[in-house]
Amino acid sequence: MHIFKEIKPLRDYLAGIRKAPGRLGLVPTMGALHAGHISLVKACQWENDHTLCTIFVNPIQFNNQVDLENYPVSLDEDLSLLKRINCEALFCPSAFEMYPSDPHISFGFNHLDETLEGQSRPGHFSGVALVVSKLFHITEPDAAYFGQKDYQQYCVIRQLSQDLNFPVELRCMPIVREPDGLAMSSRNRRLSPEEREKAPIFYQLLSEAKRAIREGTPWSEVKSDVKASIERVPGASLEYFEAADARSLRVLDAIHDSGNVLLLTAGYVGRVRLIDNLFLAD
Ligand code: AMP
């Protein structure tokens, strides 16, 4: 695997690749890789001639310094995982390489970055949009791979790409889960064994809500049942549990048609913040 820590040699390498016809796919990550990330790399390899994975814990997308300091880092294990699946190239820059000085630019996406995650993570999506813009400019990929796990992030990046005319095909890949339903996440590593046992609660609530909605239970009733259920789990708390239009991310007061509706939730188990979502129609 070709490993680049600096932009210049990466650009030279990519210029070499482009001398022959072929598609380049990009898989941006923050490392502490798990099977969810690996599924993106594999999809990228399948659909492109060249695959570049990036590992960069983007400081400016953390609205909480403690969260940044606690973010898991496991570069050696990440390298082994990527080598094992024959990932062609990895870009893992330092914070200084990406931000030699504090950036002045910021992004706003109106409703898209203000709703749901935006309520408790101010500035988060601006930081995401900036780092993704940088990665798109540096690498000029034909396609880029993101996970449905961070569905709102995907929506923001889709808007970013549209507004800035990035000629990048965006792919949103399904959520990879543990056998008990917990969505894989780098943050799961920070759960204690007892917390890990409780963590599938969010997936259980989503699945239970989906079943109830399909059986015709009114959304308001479903929501109050969800709140009651989480209160019965000590150490777990809910930040939001919403149904939204999957295109606009407008939160719904009532569900008349499950066609393009997504259930999204965020909450805590202990000190670990978890997010998850489910399409009603799947
Ligand atoms: P992260 O390293 O958490 O920034 O994630 C990098 C990419 O992997 C993002 O596009 C995530 O949505 C995606 N991802 C994270 N967890 C999963 C998962 N369980 N299944 C599929 N994709 C995921």
Side-chain angles (χ1 to χ4, degrees), residues 28-31 34 36-37 39-40 71 145-150 153 173-176 183-186:
T29 82
M30 297 206 297
H34 51 66
H37 296 116
S39 75
L40 301 186
Y71 199 83
Y145 292 73
F146 300 92
Q148 186 195 314
K149 161 92 186 331
D150 300 273
Q153 168 175 281
M173 308 309 289
I175 302 176
V176 177
M184 289 198 179
S185 164
S186 306

Side-chain angles (χ1 to χ4, degrees), residues 3 13 29 48 71 77 93 96 120 142 160 250:
I3 301 174
Y13 174 76
T29 82
N48 298 277
Y71 199 83
E77 284 169 44
F96 183 76
S120 59
D142 297 285
L160 173 83
R250 292 276 170 208

